[in-house]
Structure formats: structure tokens, C-alpha cells
């Protein structure tokens, strides 16, 4: 073995940061924003049309691929995904052809990044439903474990409950606005229904 970043090593993250920092400081266009957390990289491209976004993305991905070859790293084209974020109503081809390692990347309607599910319209419905299901499971487990004469004690239950709530609030600054908009829209729909 000549190079690696062992899981759980003390110096692994430091070495990784030293190597990976050069990826973040490559010369990207003004339309591009690159964000990395550990070995997860997100490339965001802002453009006036889907075709322009496709062209810029392919140029940027080729820069990153070249950087990877020079640093003896390979990005996995099967794990890498493309998602188009647009609110445009006009007729325009929605499929994109983005290439990594000479293979077309899969285009998706939603993707999970750092535990949060982002959808192509940024409604966060899928993520909110996912967290709702997790909350239901947590409540079910707590109700089965909380009995008067047996089961977990009050302190243990409170710890699990607090941990569950904190988990549910993860990333709330990103998706809380989506819940507000959805509930506001539902109220408007109810009011309009009552008027008819």
C-alpha cells in the first residue's frame, strides 16, 4: 500500500485536508461553486440555460478528473449523480449529458447529501416524509419501552427522546422554510375551498 487514509486514524483527516484542499482551489469559472465535506464533493453550476449548465459542468468535471489523475485518486462514476435544479416552466430538454471517467452520470430527481435529501425543486417533501417516518418509529419504540413497572427508566427514555428530537432537527435551517411554505399553502387552499 502506497497511499491511503485509514478510517479512524488521528492524522488521516489532516493528510486528507492537505491533499483535498488543492481540489477546492482549482481555477473554476465564476458560475461554479465547489463544496467538500470529507470525501463528499458537490459541484454547483449556475447558468442561464440547461445547455449552458451542461457545457460548464463538463468543463469543470474534466478539470476535476485531471486533478484526480495527478493526485492518484479516482472518483466513482457509479456513485456520482447529477441533479438539475430549475423552476423554469418553458419547454426545454431536461436531460443532461455530464461525463466522468468517460461515462455518462445518472441524472436523478433527488439526492442525499450529508444526511439531507434534496429534491430538484427544493421542496424537501421527500426528506420531511423520511424524517416523519423516523419520528413515528421513534415514538413507537419509546411507547413500547416506557412502562410503569418494567422497561427503561425515565432518564434513559429522556436521553433517547432528546437524541431523537435533536436528530429530527438536523439541518432545520435548510428545510424549515419548506415546511412553512407547505403549511401556508395548505391554509390558503383550505380557505379557498371554504369560500366555494
Amino acid at each position: 500500500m502506497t497511499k491511503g487514509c485509514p478510517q479512524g486514524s488521528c492524522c488521516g483527516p489532516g493528510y486528507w485536508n492537505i491533499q483535498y484542499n488543492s481540489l477546492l482551489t482549482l481555477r473554476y469559472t465564476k458560475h461554479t461553486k465547489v463544496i467538500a465535506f470529507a470525501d463528499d464533493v458537490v459541484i454547483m453550476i449556475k447558468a442561464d440555460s440547461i445547455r449552458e449548465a451542461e457545457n460548464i459542468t463538463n468543463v469543470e468535471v474534466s478539470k476535476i478528473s485531471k486533478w484526480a489523475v495527478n493526485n492518484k485518486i479516482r472518483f466513482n462514476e457509479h456513485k456520482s449523480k447529477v441533479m438539475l435544479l430549475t423552476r423554469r416552466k418553458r419547454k426545454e430538454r431536461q436531460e443532461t449529458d455530464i461525463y466522468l471517467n468517460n461515462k455518462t452520470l445518472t441524472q436523478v430527481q433527488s439526492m442525499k447529501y450529508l444526511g439531507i435529501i434534496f429534491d430538484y425543486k427544493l421542496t424537501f417533501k421527500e426528506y420531511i416524509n423520511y424524517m416523519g417516518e423516523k419520528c413515528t418509529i421513534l415514538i413507537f419504540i419509546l411507547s413500547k419501552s416506557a412502562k410503569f413497572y418494567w422497561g427503561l427508566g425515565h432518564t434513559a427514555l429522556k436521553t433517547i427522546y432528546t437524541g431523537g428530537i435533536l436528530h429530527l432537527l438536523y439541518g432545520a435551517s435548510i428545510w424549515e422554510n419548506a415546511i412553512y411554505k407547505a403549511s401556508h399553502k395548505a391554509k390558503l387552499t383550505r380557505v379557498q375551498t371554504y369560500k366555494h
Side-chain angles (χ1 to χ4, degrees):
M1 187 162 158
T2 57
K3 185 183 284 190
C5 182
Q7 291 288 331
S9 71
C10 295
C11 58
Y15 290 149
W16 186 250
N17 287 341
I18 291 166
Q19 182 181 32
Y20 227 50
N21 192 55
S22 61
L23 170 67
L24 303 176
T25 57
L26 287 175
R27 287 184 162 233
Y28 297 106
T29 67
K30 64 180 181 178
H31 304 280
T32 306
K33 176 86 173 163
V34 178
I35 298 171
F37 183 87
D39 62 342
D40 286 329
V41 179
V42 171
I43 306 163
M44 294 183 289
I45 308 292
K46 185 178 180 181
D48 293 327
S49 70
I50 294 170
R51 292 297 68 88
E52 183 185 5
E54 182 181 74
N55 292 336
I56 294 169
T57 305
N58 277 315
V59 168
E60 302 296 40
V61 170
S62 70
K63 284 181 200 171
I64 290 169
S65 296
K66 188 176 177 184
W67 174 90
V69 169
N70 292 337
N71 286 275
K72 298 180 176 67
I73 293 175
R74 181 177 169 84
F75 289 104
N76 189 331
E77 65 273 5
H78 300 295
K79 289 184 178 179
S80 302
K81 308 288 181 217
V82 174
M83 186 169 68
L84 182 66
L85 297 169
T86 182
R87 291 191 175 131
R88 291 185 174 211
K89 303 282 192 232
R90 72 183 189 197
K91 297 283 183 189
E92 194 174 4
R93 186 167 69 94
Q94 300 290 311
E95 296 78 33
T96 58
D97 293 321
I98 310 296
Y99 300 95
L100 176 65
N101 303 329
N102 295 321
K103 297 203 172 83
T104 308
L105 296 180
T106 305
Q107 187 171 342
V108 294
Q109 299 289 311
S110 64
M111 67 171 59
K112 197 172 193 180
Y113 182 67
L114 302 181
I116 297 177
I117 302 169
F118 294 84
D119 60 90
Y120 75 106
K121 289 189 176 178
L122 295 180
T123 62
F124 295 97
K125 285 180 186 175
E126 192 176 336
Y127 178 70
I128 292 164
N129 291 337
Y130 168 74
M131 293 308 286
E133 287 172 20
K134 287 188 93 167
C135 184
T136 304
I137 291 167
L138 175 68
I139 290 167
F140 177 72
I141 290 168
L142 284 172
S143 67
K144 282 183 74 174
S145 303
K147 303 296 177 190
F148 280 114
Y149 302 109
W150 58 272
L152 296 173
H154 175 73
T155 307
L157 288 169
K158 187 178 178 191
T159 302
I160 295 168
Y161 176 78
T162 305
I165 295 301
L166 289 175
H167 180 72
L168 291 172
L169 294 176
Y170 170 71
S173 58
I174 297 169
W175 53 262
E176 69 176 335
N177 199 32
I179 289 180
Y180 171 76
K181 284 181 181 175
S183 64
H184 185 69
K185 191 175 180 182
K187 283 179 190 173
L188 288 175
T189 306
R190 278 199 298 270
V191 169
Q192 288 172 352
T193 306
Y194 295 143
K195 283 181 179 176
H196 294 293

